[in-house]
Amino acid sequence: MTGSPRASSIVAVANRLPVQRTPDGWQLAPGGLVTALKPVMEARDGTWVGWDGGNRGAPGHLPSMRIGLRPIRLRPGAVEGFYHGFSNRTLWPLLHNAVERPVFDRGWWTQYQEVNGRFADAAVDALAHVDRPVLWVQDYHLMLVPELVRAVRPDERIGFFLHVPWPAPDIYARLPWRAEIVRGLLGADVVSFHTERYRKNFVRSCGRVLGAEVTARGGDLHLADGRVVRTTSAPISIDAAAIRSAVTSPSAGAELAELRDQFAGRTVLLGVDRLDYTKGIVERLLAFEALLERRKDLRGRVVLVQIAVPSRDDVQEYRDLRDTVERLIGRINGRFTPTGGDVPVHYLYRGLPPEQLYGYYALADALLVTPLIDGMNLVAKEFVVAQAATGGDGVLVLSEFTGAAEELREAVQCNPFDVDGLAGRIETALEVAAPSRRRALRTMARRIHRHDVHAWLDEQISAIEGPTTAAS
Ligand code: ADQ
């Protein structure tokens, strides 16, 4: 649909701009969503509204990119309340089934409202400068923006996509500002989630907190003022073709050869995550320890490589998690490193450049994706595509509490809350015969290639444009 005559302009609003400051100046930030959006935004006179992340001098555009940028500057107090506070310590844990206790702080809420107002003002301004625009708002940081924009531009087409789960109504209802948040979202024409479960949770939460203000009919929510809001489930995906070509490139091949050398003769289990308490890293380590305890024959023959990208380390819960993870790894390595031998847990506390990360994906005999809850989990999809592209036979062990589990049904599913059971699932995974592993990988990879991030994006934009735009 890119460049079609009926194409409308896109104004995207996200917490962060799609650019980052590097020693060589401002550059496009890495990441599947940004890469996928770039050509579509360029073809449609796109504008991106986002926080500059505290880096002064964010440009209005990049020479390498025909997308307008509208940087939002925030004072330190606003960053504290809106971002570290309400977004990361209230909404993030709440929307992740309260696996950590959400903190409710009225001051943070005030900052969240103010900053959402700033984003909405910038969006309204951007909308006024383009033809036939659609507004596409991303994620939990900006849930009030749809309603705020609707109040000023009632006829605009507005979509919202939530990248994280929506919890059961009983959990959502704990939020003191629960009605304000859902009213904010209902300013959109379309509100989308990764899975049917999250979508239904949202619809039920609206009923629970708004009562007679909304009526659910099918996937639609009918509001008292006559507006109809569509809800959809639209699982996000990855740029599968790009990963396939990167993982089969000579530099990734060289990386893989080196890793094979390093881990020769050992079965490699892999974990790749942001260091976040939702990702089940502690449970994974405990399960690995339990496995080494009960299977003496595996000691010295199996290794866990845990790659963890630092995340939100200005938040206490994240610093505590890092301490726990590092203490546990120390304990496991202390207990099970053979005299004169290599450690059973390799721990890399950093982000890796793509070719290195893909080398690990291609190397691993099993990827352990064990979140306690996760909106989708793109790492699982990246692994499947990388393995299939390199003719691997790695097994995906996948938590049933990830959005990805609904699509990747051929994975070895697990319940990470059951640590002994998880150890058993890892054991099972290692025993699956090679032909079945290959079959499972191929089936899952085909599904991901068919529904890649470009397909997802097309669906999202068409849904926001709605039937009226299509007819014009
Ligand atoms: P995240 O919680 O950040 O995203 P995820 O979907 O797994 O989780 O995406 C992580 C991305 O970071 C992947 O593309 C991965 O390659 C990259 N990454 C992870 N560890 C890395 C490392 N050590 N080095 C380099 N890169 C690394 C949120 C939600 C998810 C949802 C996505 C997209 O929490 O549930 O899938 O948004 O909607």
Side-chain angles (χ1 to χ4, degrees):
M1 92 182 166
T2 304
S4 71
R6 70 178 182 81
S8 36
S9 312
I10 300 175
V11 175
V13 190
N15 179 43
R16 295 297 284 266
L17 285 175
V19 292
Q20 62 182 16
R21 194 181 195 146
T22 72
D24 304 324
W26 288 87
Q27 289 183 357
L28 196 66
L33 181 61
V34 173
T35 316
L37 262 169
K38 182 174 179 272
V40 183
M41 297 276 282
E42 285 186 327
R44 287 163 165 249
D45 195 13
T47 307
W48 192 301
V49 178
W51 175 35
D52 63 9
N55 292 301
R56 283 188 179 278
H61 71 279
L62 289 183
S64 60
M65 184 179 79
R66 293 187 316 279
I67 301 176
L69 299 175
R70 299 225 167 200
I72 305 231
R73 284 203 64 75
L74 298 176
R75 330 172 260 101
V79 173
E80 196 47 44
F82 154 74
Y83 183 64
H84 299 306
F86 201 76
S87 295
N88 287 342
R89 297 190 68 198
T90 306
L91 290 174
W92 178 269
L94 180 85
L95 296 174
H96 285 89
N97 262 350
V99 288
E100 277 283 333
R101 207 180 167 88
V103 179
F104 300 130
D105 179 305
R106 200 156 289 276
W108 294 350
W109 164 240
T110 305
Q111 292 295 338
Y112 185 81
Q113 289 171 287
E114 276 179 31
V115 171
N116 270 246
R118 296 271 314 279
F119 276 80
D121 290 346
V124 166
D125 195 48
L127 289 166
H129 286 87
V130 285
D131 266 352
R132 292 159 31 86
V134 296
L135 180 67
W136 194 30
V137 185
Q138 306 285 317
D139 227 358
Y140 62 99
H141 314 86
L142 301 173
M143 294 200 282
L144 302 177
V145 169
E147 183 189 27
L148 292 169
V149 173
R150 175 77 57 206
V152 185
R153 295 182 63 108
D155 299 325
E156 221 58 86
R157 296 295 305 176
I158 304 175
F160 182 93
F161 187 82
L162 187 69
H163 289 263
V164 298
W166 191 278
D170 255 359
I171 290 183
Y172 178 69
R174 296 180 194 177
L175 182 67
W177 309 283
R178 57 200 188 177
E180 288 88 335
I181 292 283
V182 292
R183 281 197 197 106
L185 290 172
L186 293 175
D189 296 288
V190 187
V191 184
S192 297
F193 304 85
H194 287 302
T195 69
E196 257 314 275
R197 178 173 308 158
Y198 308 152
R199 189 194 68 75
K200 285 183 180 151
N201 282 345
F202 173 72
V203 168
R204 286 165 51 222
S205 298
C206 287
R208 159 105 188 235
V209 306
L210 297 181
E213 263 181 62
V214 290
T215 313
R217 269 182 232 143
D220 293 341
L221 287 165
H222 293 250
L223 310 189
D225 66 3
R227 283 184 52 244
V228 178
V229 180
R230 229 182 112 194
T231 60
T232 71
S233 58
I236 198 170
S237 193
I238 56 172
D239 192 342
I243 291 183
R244 180 167 56 196
S245 81
V247 77
T248 50
S249 71
S251 62
E255 200 68 51
L256 174 59
E258 247 177 61
L259 289 172
R260 283 210 170 115
D261 234 28
Q262 184 187 352
F263 292 103
R266 278 184 292 173
T267 299
V268 178
L269 308 178
L270 178 67
V272 175
D273 322 74
R274 262 187 322 99
L275 193 67
D276 194 292
Y277 52 75
T278 58
K279 302 288 183 184
I281 301 172
V282 168
E283 289 71 10
R284 186 182 311 158
L285 288 166
L286 290 171
F288 183 60
E289 185 177 41
L291 183 65
L292 293 182
E293 255 163 25
R294 70 178 188 222
R295 288 281 306 269
K296 287 199 176 64
D297 60 309
L298 289 181
R299 297 181 193 168
R301 289 183 40 222
V302 59
V303 60
L304 170 62
V305 179
Q306 175 62 54
I307 307 171
V309 200
S311 184
R312 305 177 193 171
D313 49 12
D314 26 27
V315 174
Q316 187 60 44
E317 287 83 353
Y318 288 77
R319 284 197 296 270
D320 293 346
L321 171 69
R322 182 180 171 193
D323 286 350
T324 307
V325 163
E326 294 183 354
R327 211 179 43 244
L328 253 177
I329 292 173
R331 184 170 89 193
I332 299 169
N333 284 345
R335 288 182 69 194
F336 296 110
T337 305
T339 320
D342 193 17
V343 292
V345 184
H346 281 235
Y347 176 53
L348 284 71
Y349 177 59
R350 54 182 183 268
L352 294 186
E355 66 277 12
Q356 268 183 34
L357 184 62
Y358 299 159
Y360 278 102
Y361 284 153
L363 170 80
D365 295 287
L367 177 77
L368 310 182
V369 179
T370 58
L372 307 178
I373 177 161
D374 204 343
M376 172 52 62
N377 195 284
L378 296 179
V379 169
K381 292 188 171 180
E382 292 166 359
F383 169 77
V384 166
V385 166
Q387 280 277 327
T390 50
D393 61 4
V395 188
L396 174 63
V397 177
L398 182 60
S399 161
E400 61 190 78
F401 302 106
T402 60
E406 286 196 8
E407 277 177 283
L408 306 180
R409 297 180 295 278
E410 294 74 11
V412 173
Q413 301 229 345
C414 67
N415 168 8
F417 292 93
D418 170 11
V419 166
D420 275 335
L422 176 56
R425 297 306 281 159
I426 299 172
E427 240 176 326
T428 309
L430 296 178
E431 283 157 10
V432 179
S436 319
R437 295 164 170 229
R438 288 218 165 81
R439 227 179 2 258
L441 274 174
R442 267 204 310 271
T443 308
M444 293 189 285
R446 257 202 308 272
R447 205 174 289 138
I448 298 169
H449 276 279
R450 257 200 318 267
H451 189 267
D452 65 3
V453 74
H454 302 289
W456 173 81
L457 189 59
D458 279 358
E459 279 167 25
Q460 279 288 292
I461 302 300
S462 308
I464 304 168
E465 283 175 329
T468 45
T469 312
S472 63

